[in-house]
Amino acid sequence: MQLHAFDLIAIGGEDLRQLPLEMRKTNLARLLRGRPEGMFIAPLESGATGPDLFRAASDLRLECIVSSAATAAISPAARVNGSRSRTTPIRP
């Protein structure tokens, strides 16, 4: 079994969603320092990976991709609507 951690939105009752993603990932790495085998921290992708990643997800028939800019906090709109890109048509 593998666990891939990709974000840390709260710890010890403190809401971290207002922090930029890159800072939340730094906090996640500190929290999981010395983690057991099989637990991974998803890296922060940089550069123009969007189109290639979207195409690969579409080829794998994944339903959507959740994404965020490295410097972005989680906005109230994203909390309600999510920051997702659909890769497949919505099924009836």
Side-chain angles (χ1 to χ4, degrees), residues 49-62 65 87:
T49 60
D52 293 335
L53 182 59
F54 186 86
R55 202 168 12 269
S58 295
D59 291 347
L60 291 170
R61 301 182 56 84
L62 300 178
I65 297 172
T87 59

Side-chain angles (χ1 to χ4, degrees), residues 1-75:
M1 177 182 286
Q2 294 183 351
L3 172 68
H4 289 260
F6 60 92
D7 202 349
L8 181 64
I9 60 172
I11 187 167
E14 182 182 356
D15 185 352
L16 304 178
R17 293 177 291 185
Q18 77 284 357
L19 298 176
L21 177 60
E22 57 194 359
M23 189 175 288
R24 296 192 316 266
K25 281 198 172 277
T26 298
N27 290 335
L28 178 65
R30 278 193 207 116
L31 177 69
L32 297 179
R33 191 176 295 137
R35 62 191 173 272
E37 264 187 59
M39 186 180 288
F40 304 92
I41 298 172
L44 183 60
E45 297 292 338
S46 61
T49 60
D52 293 335
L53 182 59
F54 186 86
R55 202 168 12 269
S58 295
D59 291 347
L60 291 170
R61 301 182 56 84
L62 300 178
E63 186 173 318
C64 67
I65 297 172
V66 177
S67 61
S68 179
T71 57
I74 299 176
S75 70

